[in-house]
Amino acid sequence: MLAWTVYLSFLGVLVLIFVPPTNLRAVRAIALLSALGGLLCALVATFSYNLESGIVPVCKVPWVPALGIDYFLGVDGISLTLVLLTGIAAVVGILFSWNIEHRANEFFAFYLALIGGVYGVFLSFDLFLLFVFYELAIIPKYFLIAIWGS
């Protein structure tokens, strides 16, 4: 369930790429629905996971077996709290950015890519995967600051 927080964010990015920039209502709705979907997944996971045993694996697939690198998403008490806070911040950030009209589809696509990277950082239990998600979060952050920062 928690892996869908990452997947929904990047799925929202893919959908926003193909939405015409003149359709602001659709751009905002897609961004908000993607963020709400991630928050809903985080809320469901918060109330359904039993974290007394420590780490709960979410998804573990061999990625680069020759190097011992896995696509290993997991959750413990701290990371679950941070994922939930990320979901809340994602929804609030989209609502606070609701009035952006200059290249809105690009803004929300970069924002959702940033949120997907942050979800991945907090769910990663493989060091290489953590680095990949961290870099995926930094790239859209640069463009958000460079283009829409003040």
Side-chain angles (χ1 to χ4, degrees):
M1 185 66 152
L2 272 177
W4 279 98
T5 58
V6 178
Y7 306 149
L8 285 174
S9 297
F10 288 117
L11 183 66
V13 172
L14 287 175
V15 172
L16 283 173
I17 289 172
F18 296 108
V19 174
T22 56
N23 194 350
L24 286 175
R25 177 174 281 166
V27 166
R28 292 172 180 153
I30 291 166
L32 185 61
L33 287 174
S34 296
L36 283 172
L39 176 61
L40 181 66
C41 290
L43 281 171
V44 168
T46 300
F47 294 112
S48 65
Y49 282 138
N50 181 12
L51 299 174
E52 293 175 1
S53 61
I55 297 171
V56 176
V58 174
C59 176
K60 187 170 184 178
V61 178
W63 191 14
V64 185
L67 299 175
I69 298 172
D70 295 328
Y71 181 80
F72 183 21
L73 299 179
V75 68
D76 59 4
I78 294 172
S79 63
L80 184 60
T81 305
L82 292 172
V83 166
L84 183 60
L85 288 173
T86 301
I88 293 168
V91 172
V92 170
I94 287 175
L95 292 176
F96 276 126
S97 304
W98 202 255
N99 60 353
I100 289 183
E101 295 178 3
H102 173 66
R103 297 164 65 176
N105 60 338
E106 294 174 23
F107 174 84
F108 288 116
F110 281 132
Y111 187 75
L112 287 175
L114 170 66
I115 293 301
V118 172
Y119 278 135
V121 165
F122 292 141
L123 293 173
S124 296
F125 271 82
D126 183 88
L127 187 60
F128 187 79
L129 184 64
L130 174 77
F131 177 75
V132 169
F133 276 122
Y134 184 74
E135 292 300 319
L136 283 175
I138 285 178
I139 294 167
K141 191 184 309 182
Y142 168 77
F143 288 107
L144 286 170
I145 293 169
I147 298 171
W148 293 275
S150 56

